[in-house]
Amino acid sequence: MKTRKIAYLGMLMALALVLSYVESLIPFAVGIPGVKLGLTNIVTVIMLYIASPMETFLLCVFRAVLSGFMFGNAFSIIYSLAGCILSFIVMYLLKKSDKFSSVSISLVGGVCHNIGQIIVAAIVLSTYSVVYYIPVLFVAGCITGLVIGIVASQVLLRISDSFHV
């Protein structure tokens, strides 16, 4: 059973990295700096339902660091870590309450990811003027979080009986 769990976690990490790579190739030209689809959040949302909270958290952190080294830079790692840690905490608490669907959890996670990044941007840039960017990122986080949540919920419907880490 332990070998199976390691294999599943490795596969999910690989999937998250592939999605991160695919996302880096997509010219998301909406004219809004920093807005991404958040494809790797599909793996995070799925893991909230099929893996332990610690495994999900560690995958989020490792994915942020590895994808930053592979497709980004030191700043992208810092911003990604801030976003993924805040969004994981909030999504985990919502999931734990059993009052929210995977779609709504993903939507809130998308918004929280952006808020985490804005907090770090304010610290790194030593200015709070970046908070004026929150409404734009709020809307973007809602849209992308909704889409990612719908995809994750559909995947969960298809694997829920046969795929548990």
Side-chain angles (χ1 to χ4, degrees), residues 11 14 17 20 24 30 37 41 53-55 70 87 113 122 131 133-134 147-148 151:
M11 182 190 66
L17 290 172
S20 184
S24 74
V30 293
L37 293 174
N41 201 38
M54 184 55 75
E55 291 163 347
M70 292 170 30
S87 67
H113 188 90
V131 298
Y133 202 47
I134 286 177
V147 171
I148 296 304
V151 171

Side-chain angles (χ1 to χ4, degrees), residues 14-38:
L15 178 61
L17 290 172
V18 166
L19 290 172
S20 184
Y21 176 67
V22 167
E23 187 169 56
S24 74
L25 297 175
I26 297 171
F28 201 71
V30 293
I32 305 170
V35 172
K36 290 185 173 185
L37 293 174

Side-chain angles (χ1 to χ4, degrees), residues 86-87 106-116 137-142 145:
L86 180 61
S87 67
S106 175
L107 188 145
V108 173
V111 171
C112 288
H113 188 90
N114 290 341
I115 289 171
L137 292 179
F138 179 83
V139 172
C142 285

Side-chain angles (χ1 to χ4, degrees), residues 10-124:
M11 182 190 66
L12 289 165
M13 174 60 84
L15 178 61
L17 290 172
V18 166
L19 290 172
S20 184
Y21 176 67
V22 167
E23 187 169 56
S24 74
L25 297 175
I26 297 171
F28 201 71
V30 293
I32 305 170
V35 172
K36 290 185 173 185
L37 293 174
L39 294 175
T40 57
N41 201 38
I42 294 169
V43 176
T44 304
V45 173
I46 291 168
M47 283 193 65
L48 282 170
Y49 288 86
I50 66 169
S52 75
M54 184 55 75
E55 291 163 347
T56 305
F57 177 75
L58 289 174
L59 184 126
C60 289
V61 170
F62 291 151
R63 192 259 330 140
V65 172
L66 288 173
S67 65
F69 280 125
M70 292 170 30
F71 317 118
N73 55 43
F75 285 110
S76 66
I77 293 171
I78 293 167
Y79 287 110
S80 184
L81 278 173
C84 81
I85 290 171
L86 180 61
S87 67
F88 167 78
I89 291 169
V90 173
M91 288 191 304
Y92 167 70
L93 293 173
L94 293 175
K95 162 73 173 68
K96 189 176 175 182
S97 75
D98 287 329
K99 296 180 180 176
F100 300 92
S101 70
S102 58
V103 176
S104 57
I105 289 171
S106 175
L107 188 145
V108 173
V111 171
C112 288
H113 188 90
N114 290 341
I115 289 171
Q117 290 181 330
I118 286 290
I119 291 168
V120 168
I123 294 167
V124 168

